[in-house]
Amino acid sequence: MPYLRTLAAAFVAGLALIAGASAQELAVGTIGASSDSPFFIADKRGYFKDEGLTVKFIRFDSAAKAMAPLGTGELAVASGATSAALYNAVKRGVTLRIVADKAKNPPGYGFEALLVRKDLRDDGKIKTLADFRGRKIAISAAGNSEDFLVDYAMRKAGMTIKDVDPVYLGFPQHIAAFTNKGIDASLSVEPSISSIEKADQAVRFLGVDEFYPNFETAVVFYSEKFIKERPEDAKKFMRAYLRGARDYLDALNGDRLTAPAADQVIPILNEYSFIKNPAVYRAMRSHYVDPNGMLNVTALKDAWQYFRDAKMTDGSVTVDQVVDPSFAKWAAEQLGPYKKKDEK
């Protein structure tokens, strides 16, 4: 299947990136996005060191390329969206587990949304989801959770993804596609959304937080090798990760990084992520991360069902086989209930 060929093609490149990590270091795969904030905050503030851990961040240009080295244990930790390729890889023996939440879309957290080309909205050609029929919609990749979300949204208008014309483009390419009128709509994420809106090429139509509240957009993965060979370190890593997640939440005012704590958090993100403009962090809508790492397993199962129904996977590997919430549960119990720092 094409998803597996993608993972196989990335394997050698992934190993080359990881080669610099020592045996004592934990290799952590990231894409350098703002949703990796808990990792970055935990590292900068010494939370991993507090646990006796040394991490080495390995940058990948897509989460899918981290899956193969994660499965071999060359990476201990990675993160990203679920996909058909994930379940197919597990079926082939790529051993990994989904262990914690990394990004959700609760109501009011609009960091992922359907956008519509501005001229089509201004002319009244797209007013409702029913008007998406036959339209070209940019989606980040085939067979991932965004594929499912577009299908889910279309079903609210009595359609499916088969009734639109998917155009598979990475998020950074969406702005050019809107400008050139190569697409009519997109499912985009921040900071691409802010860039597209600033360029006045498209307008927000419907947030994922509106049509599928609390969807599990991205998760944290552990390699099975890490779990089996270093179980105590796997617990400690999660405790440090959740400390970083809670610090990130302290910096949020709704879905904006504008709380007082943001003054200390934004410089960390500016240092570690690929976004190097502090103003972008304050302007864009930010994601939510569960302070206890709790996963929306129902959302994972809904996406899995779509992959199965679309025959992208045979369904032999289930969500329950891949999910292991025990590390997040342990870490949350150790840290106690979360309370925002500016709350009295």
Side-chain angles (χ1 to χ4, degrees):
M1 294 181 72
Y3 318 112
L4 296 180
R5 288 198 295 270
T6 299
L7 289 176
F11 182 72
V12 174
L15 291 184
L17 286 169
I18 297 162
S22 73
Q24 290 76 34
E25 290 176 322
L26 290 177
V28 178
T30 80
I31 59 171
S34 61
S35 60
D36 289 322
S37 300
F39 295 134
F40 302 151
I41 295 169
D43 186 55
K44 185 67 174 181
R45 292 188 165 171
Y47 299 158
F48 292 125
K49 288 185 178 179
D50 289 347
E51 301 287 356
L53 304 174
T54 302
V55 302
K56 179 180 177 67
F57 293 121
I58 311 295
R59 179 77 65 86
F60 290 84
D61 58 14
S62 75
K65 293 182 180 179
M67 293 299 102
L70 183 72
T72 65
E74 301 297 325
L75 281 178
V77 182
S79 63
T82 61
S83 64
L86 165 69
Y87 297 105
N88 290 330
V90 173
K91 181 184 176 181
R92 293 184 66 240
V94 175
T95 53
L96 54 84
R97 293 290 181 268
I98 297 171
V99 294
D101 169 54
K102 194 184 82 156
K104 280 196 182 82
N105 293 267
Y109 287 78
F111 80 102
E112 186 170 22
L114 285 168
L115 306 183
V116 170
R117 212 171 69 220
K118 190 173 185 297
D119 62 302
L120 296 175
R121 188 62 183 269
D122 290 347
D123 293 343
K125 293 180 179 178
I126 297 182
K127 294 180 179 179
T128 69
L129 283 171
D131 297 326
F132 279 63
R133 186 181 296 274
R135 295 290 185 177
K136 293 182 180 295
I137 302 180
I139 305 173
S140 62
N144 69 3
S145 57
E146 277 76 29
D147 235 9
F148 159 72
L149 285 170
V150 169
D151 182 78
Y152 188 89
M154 294 305 107
R155 289 181 184 275
K156 291 187 174 293
M159 302 184 293
T160 72
I161 196 170
K162 293 180 181 179
D163 294 299
V164 299
D165 184 7
V167 178
Y168 293 107
L169 295 170
F171 294 123
Q173 297 173 280
H174 291 187
I175 186 170
F178 274 122
T179 302
N180 299 330
K181 297 188 176 181
I183 56 174
D184 303 311
S186 71
L187 182 64
S188 301
V189 298
E190 292 285 16
S192 296
I193 292 175
S194 292
S195 297
I196 292 167
E197 290 178 321
K198 186 176 181 180
D200 205 28
Q201 296 300 317
V203 295
R204 178 180 292 265
F205 182 83
L206 189 66
V208 173
D209 62 312
E210 298 173 279
F211 70 80
Y212 196 138
N214 295 301
F215 181 72
E216 191 67 60
T217 301
V219 299
V220 178
F221 301 101
Y222 277 0
S223 74
E224 192 163 297
K225 182 178 180 181
F226 180 42
I227 292 172
K228 288 184 175 179
E229 295 184 2
R230 301 174 66 174
E232 291 304 311
D233 285 347
K235 289 181 179 180
K236 293 175 181 178
F237 184 96
M238 185 61 66
R239 183 162 55 191
Y241 168 78
L242 290 187
R243 289 179 69 188
R246 293 177 178 202
D247 285 2
Y248 167 78
L249 291 172
D250 288 340
L252 288 179
N253 181 10
D255 67 350
R256 308 283 178 155
L257 280 168
T258 55
D263 291 340
Q264 289 75 48
V265 166
I266 288 176
I268 298 174
L269 307 187
N270 204 62
E271 176 183 347
Y272 282 78
S273 87
F274 59 74
I275 304 170
K276 299 301 182 183
N277 184 348
V280 172
Y281 288 107
R282 295 188 182 277
M284 74 181 194
R285 297 169 179 86
S286 296
H287 70 287
Y288 177 82
V289 58
D290 191 279
N292 298 318
M294 289 183 60
L295 293 155
N296 185 345
V297 177
T298 298
L300 297 178
K301 289 183 176 180
D302 283 348
W304 175 91
Q305 189 66 53
Y306 166 76
F307 301 145
R308 183 181 182 183
D309 291 347
K311 301 189 185 306
M312 297 176 182
T313 181
D314 64 11
S316 59
V317 175
T318 67
V319 172
D320 289 334
Q321 288 175 274
V322 177
V323 168
D324 182 353
S326 64
F327 298 98
K329 182 179 179 181
W330 177 87
E333 289 174 350
Q334 292 289 308
L335 294 174
Y338 167 67
K339 186 174 182 180
K340 197 174 180 71
K341 286 184 178 177
D342 61 1
E343 292 179 352
K344 296 181 180 179

